[in-house]
Amino acid sequence: MRHVAIFARRPQLGRVKSRLAADIGSVEALRFYRTTLGTVTRRLAAGRGWTTWLAVTPDDAVADGRGWPRGIERLPQGGGDLGHRMAGCLALFGPEPAIIVGSDIPDLTRHHVARAFDLLRRHDFVFGPAADGGYWLVGAAQGRRTENLFRDVRWSGLDALTDTMGNAGPAARIALLDPLDDIDDGAAYRRWRQRD
């Protein structure tokens, strides 16, 4: 079995996409987030060969049916910083291959996920780099240990991908997908809208 976890925050006004909201307003940021979350979830759930999950925060949002795409199982992200939550999510799937993606990647399709799983047949880890130095996808091959993968990562900066790849260790086989934009601020939002 293979797993894809979409990391998502409860879609609530003033609680999502704070950097984007500072540039385009809270209402438009929430609209963007809800639309993108629904689109990405539908696309990935239509993929064959893996189970799609919504890994949600806060944890009590698991039981809240409002605002979430229908028909997708939800699981809690748990506590701690982003790295701790991601490591915990990958650990839930035990030795089975698993991928985590963001919920704010409007260009993400099931073909990206299929390619990532294909790369995990020959690599220990796969990443989807983002232009801001972070990544929109991280995946671990069958049996790969990930408890230290996200240790001391400088999140929301230019070094997040470099730090995480460094934690994989010198012997790790790492593959990279094509870059995609995660929409975190007004500049990224405007670039995406101009392409759309």
Side-chain angles (χ1 to χ4, degrees):
M1 179 78 69
R2 302 184 300 179
H3 303 275
V4 178
I6 303 169
F7 259 46
R9 180 170 293 278
R10 176 188 280 143
Q12 188 175 7
L13 186 64
R15 301 282 178 136
V16 295
K17 307 304 297 172
S18 57
R19 284 191 302 160
L20 179 61
D23 291 339
I24 67 170
S26 295
V27 172
E28 182 59 20
L30 177 61
R31 186 202 64 75
F32 165 80
Y33 184 74
R34 279 188 173 155
T35 301
T36 304
L37 173 62
T39 300
V40 166
T41 302
R42 280 190 302 280
R43 284 177 188 162
L44 299 190
R48 299 185 186 270
W50 61 78
T51 301
T52 302
W53 305 82
L54 279 174
V56 302
T57 189
D59 288 354
D60 67 357
V62 167
D64 185 358
R66 294 172 293 147
W68 298 115
R70 295 175 189 248
I72 303 295
E73 291 289 327
R74 294 182 295 275
L75 52 92
Q77 288 183 21
D81 69 9
L82 178 59
H84 186 79
R85 295 188 317 243
M86 288 170 54
C89 181
L90 290 175
L92 284 175
F93 302 118
E96 297 174 337
I99 288 172
I100 295 173
V101 297
S103 53
D104 58 353
I105 323 293
D107 295 330
L108 176 59
T109 70
R110 64 182 173 269
H111 303 293
H112 294 106
V113 171
R115 176 72 178 136
F117 279 125
D118 184 52
L119 289 168
L120 286 175
R121 292 181 191 174
R122 299 174 305 282
H123 297 84
D124 300 312
F125 299 103
V126 62
F127 293 92
D132 63 4
Y135 44 94
W136 52 269
L137 177 147
V138 57
Q142 185 168 348
R144 288 303 302 170
R145 297 180 63 138
T146 60
E147 64 270 6
N148 293 320
L149 189 62
F150 307 107
R151 181 179 28 93
D152 298 325
V153 171
R154 292 168 283 179
W155 299 108
S156 299
L158 297 174
D159 301 301
L161 177 59
T162 303
D163 290 348
T164 309
M165 288 174 52
N167 287 339
R173 296 167 298 161
I174 296 174
L176 296 176
L177 297 167
D178 291 333
L180 290 179
D181 284 327
D182 52 352
I183 309 299
D184 286 331
D185 58 27
Y189 179 78
R190 286 185 289 278
R191 283 193 305 272
W192 171 69
R193 289 296 299 260
Q194 287 170 356
R195 286 194 336 261
D196 201 30

